Amino acid sequence: MTHSGWRDRLVPPAAGWLLVSAVLLGLAFPPFHLVLPSFTAFVPLLVWIAERPAGWEGLRQARQGGLFVGLLYGTIIYYGLVVALLVHSPLAALAFLAPVLAIATLISLVALATGAARTKLGWPIWLAFPVFWTAYEWFRAYLPGFSFPWMQLGDSLTGYPQLVGAADVVGSRGLSLWLALANSLLATALIAWRRGGWTLRVIRPLVAFLVVLAAPIGYSIVRWNSIELRPVARATVIQPSVPQHVKRDPQAAADSAVRATETLLGRLGLESQPGGTDLLILPETVFPAYIEALPSLDHPGRPDLEAWVAGVARRLDAPVLYGALGAADRGSGSFDRFNSAFLVNAAGNRVGRYDKQYLVPVVERVPILDLIVPGKRPGAAGFGRGSDAAPMRIEAGSFGVMICYESIYARIGRQYRREGADFLVNITNDAWFGRQAGWTHSSFLWQHPAHLVMRAIESRVGIARSGNTGISQAVDPLGRTSHTTELFAAAAFVAELHTTDGQTPYVRYGDVAGWTSMLVALACLGLLGHEWRASRRAGPSA
């Protein structure tokens, strides 16, 4: 067999390239979290794009290939939405299909734009693809009303924090740009090898790949060994593990949470240790009830639950942060509803409240139902959006609160850090993403907490996570996790959180990689538009 013959046998059929890319992308993210796919997953897709025929037919095929990869990749990553919501409504299928179709469509446009920039403008793949991929992620993260930056490419390496310390300079999307560039350089080398064997056209991108790989990892290793951490607070995290079907009954859920918390506090023995904790953290909607009174609706609130929390705070001589439903009485029998976190000081007085700003589509904000229900009543669909909040302050320091999937938004952690937060707290209820039986556990259970590794590294702060059914854990400013709990089991721990002094480049300057890629992508699209109009004027022969 000739050299070119056995080389061609290494290449799968056209659809095989696409299938390999989609599967590798799935393996890069939790719960698999393999490291090599992060650097290689896009290589088959890019080789496939490069080998499409010239002209508009090739670009059409590039778009179709990107759509295929996007559909399969989106299904692997987001199938947890079906597990989370199907038990509540058959409409959950729409909540799954909508983001998968949207992401697949955007990825198909990335493939189309990459192919067009390469064939019409002469841009190399190693330039075009990283720009368009990072611009796509920026668009997905900032699209008003529909932003959903869940598990972007940079987040695939959260299982290896020692490799991604550069996130404190460029953020998660900067790491996406880095990984897309690494994939593109490998693809460039493979394309050249297939066309002519080992030549300088192969060696140059391989050398560039090694340089691109080494620079951020080298910075990360230096950072890992040089950053000085200082303790800031001892946080006690409670995981009551109240099943989702119990939480549908507010009274039963509150009773279960109180019993579990008292039992777990007894195991920790904190009441016999003065100063044993600086902050007690209970999860999101640990009480799925309106704590505050709503006079215009004759709703008394839940003074009994407030009294219990105040008693716990006084017994521990420490503040308590807990999740419940917040409300703002608008009078005339209507009110605004919020997913809130309340802070009670060591004396038992409520001293802070944070209302969730980034609401889960469909689950927490349903615009159609908001129109049908003109004045909300307790239990009506739709949440209000909280305003920007300053960090909460306790004696040990100040901290920012992220409720549920707010942890996927880098800008909220950055905002808290800019306003002086020493550490972050994430309270959540991931009981949506599975049940006690292991076969019901969706990948969301591992994907959701993984985002906190990026938030910790970007701002160099410690983070405590309290999940109703897990995973609960602590993360240090280097991105190392500890005190990780088992899923769907009651658990509690006391963790010493650490922080650092000063602000990182990412905190100071933000998502430079994201918006720069978006500007370059728009400029490229403008040039492609000009090229297309010129070809139209030149006629069919052009």
Side-chain angles (χ1 to χ4, degrees):
M1 182 179 293
T2 65
H3 175 71
S4 60
W6 67 259
R7 188 171 63 236
D8 290 341
R9 288 178 66 86
L10 294 177
V11 180
W17 281 117
L18 305 177
L19 182 63
V20 170
S21 262
V23 171
L24 285 176
L25 277 171
L27 293 175
F29 292 94
F32 306 105
H33 236 173
L34 303 182
V35 63
L36 289 180
S38 297
F39 298 93
T40 60
F42 286 112
V43 173
L45 171 62
L46 294 174
V47 172
W48 187 83
I49 290 174
E51 297 188 344
R52 295 308 90 208
W56 297 109
E57 173 60 22
L59 295 181
R60 183 183 67 82
Q61 291 182 21
R63 177 180 57 81
Q64 290 177 335
L67 182 67
F68 176 84
V69 171
L71 286 172
L72 185 54
Y73 155 69
T75 299
I76 295 172
I77 297 299
Y78 295 108
Y79 82 90
L81 286 171
V82 177
V83 177
L85 303 176
L86 195 58
V87 296
H88 301 280
S89 169
L91 295 177
L94 296 178
F96 164 72
L97 289 174
V100 170
L101 290 174
I103 287 170
T105 300
L106 290 172
I107 292 177
S108 75
L109 295 178
V110 169
L112 172 63
T114 299
R118 176 178 172 273
T119 59
K120 303 298 181 182
L121 301 179
W123 286 26
I125 273 183
W126 60 260
L127 172 61
F129 179 72
V131 164
F132 281 110
W133 181 267
T134 310
Y136 143 72
E137 287 198 355
W138 184 92
F139 182 77
R140 182 152 70 95
Y142 287 94
L143 183 63
F146 298 94
S147 62
F148 192 61
W150 185 282
M151 286 285 102
Q152 300 191 130
L153 185 58
D155 300 320
S156 66
L157 287 178
T158 52
Y160 310 90
Q162 64 273 27
L163 300 180
V164 292
D168 67 7
V169 177
V170 296
S172 173
R173 250 177 306 283
L175 296 179
S176 292
L177 178 65
W178 171 54
L179 291 174
L181 176 58
N183 274 266
S184 302
L185 289 169
L186 281 181
T188 300
L190 181 56
I191 292 165
W193 179 74
R194 292 197 63 241
R195 291 177 177 175
W198 288 100
T199 66
L200 283 176
R201 290 177 177 266
V202 177
I203 295 173
R204 281 196 296 262
L206 287 179
V207 172
F209 168 78
L210 293 176
V211 172
V212 165
L213 207 64
I217 293 177
Y219 169 84
S220 186
I221 293 173
V222 172
R223 172 190 186 274
W224 186 273
N225 293 289
S226 61
I227 291 179
E228 294 185 4
L229 309 182
R230 63 175 176 86
V232 62
R234 286 176 57 81
T236 299
V237 171
I238 298 295
Q239 178 178 304
S241 196
V242 179
Q244 190 60 29
H245 70 274
V246 175
K247 290 187 72 68
R248 295 176 191 166
D249 182 336
Q251 185 60 54
D255 292 343
S256 296
V258 167
R259 287 195 302 269
T261 301
E262 292 287 4
T263 299
L264 293 168
L265 287 175
R267 292 178 187 172
L268 293 175
L270 289 175
E271 294 183 45
S272 61
Q273 304 174 35
T277 186
D278 297 308
L279 177 66
L280 175 66
I281 306 170
L282 302 177
E284 174 192 19
T285 56
V286 64
F287 305 132
Y290 294 95
I291 295 296
E292 300 155 307
L294 297 168
S296 71
L297 286 85
D298 294 328
H299 188 278
R302 291 300 304 271
D304 56 324
L305 294 178
E306 284 199 292
W308 176 78
V309 172
V312 170
R314 287 191 288 266
R315 281 156 41 199
L316 298 181
D317 191 27
V320 178
L321 181 77
Y322 68 98
L325 298 180
D329 197 335
R330 297 191 304 180
S332 303
S334 65
F335 71 102
D336 291 321
R337 176 191 195 197
F338 300 97
N339 186 346
S340 302
F342 296 87
L343 179 65
V344 173
N345 64 16
N349 301 314
R350 191 200 309 158
V351 293
R353 173 178 135 183
Y354 167 72
D355 299 326
K356 188 176 180 182
Q357 301 176 57
Y358 298 93
L359 304 177
V360 179
V362 179
V363 175
E364 292 181 319
R365 185 164 183 79
V366 188
I368 295 176
L369 291 182
D370 284 346
L371 294 176
I372 295 175
V373 185
K376 298 184 181 69
R377 298 293 190 275
F383 283 81
R385 189 185 303 277
S387 59
D388 291 348
M392 293 183 175
R393 299 191 179 276
I394 58 177
E395 186 175 342
S398 60
F399 64 94
V401 179
M402 299 180 294
I403 299 177
C404 187
Y405 94 139
E406 287 187 318
S407 60
I408 74 176
Y409 293 91
R411 55 188 182 270
I412 189 171
R414 175 175 174 256
Q415 175 190 349
Y416 277 131
R417 186 61 165 163
R418 285 172 64 90
E419 294 182 6
D422 296 302
F423 62 98
L424 301 174
V425 173
N426 178 217
I427 60 173
T428 186
N429 172 31
D430 287 1
W432 296 85
F433 302 146
R435 304 293 179 270
Q436 184 69 42
W439 64 269
T440 67
H441 295 179
S442 78
S443 58
F444 275 28
L445 291 166
W446 292 272
Q447 291 173 2
H448 194 189
H451 292 90
L452 291 178
V453 172
M454 281 297 170
R455 303 295 84 82
I457 294 174
E458 287 165 346
S459 300
R460 292 186 186 174
V461 294
I463 304 176
R465 184 180 202 259
S466 173
N468 169 35
T469 54
I471 296 172
S472 300
Q473 61 186 11
V475 189
D476 76 2
L478 295 176
R480 296 176 296 190
T481 58
S482 63
H483 300 83
T484 302
T485 62
E486 294 184 9
L487 288 167
F488 300 98
F493 62 82
V494 181
E496 185 164 66
L497 302 181
H498 291 80
T499 191
T500 60
D501 296 318
Q503 294 184 349
T504 66
Y506 177 76
V507 169
R508 289 197 297 268
Y509 304 116
D511 189 14
V512 175
W515 59 258
T516 300
S517 296
M518 192 66 186
L519 291 177
V520 175
L522 291 174
C524 182
L525 293 177
L527 293 173
L528 287 170
H530 175 75
E531 180 74 13
W532 179 75
R533 288 190 297 270
S535 66
R536 289 285 299 272
R537 288 194 296 267
S541 61

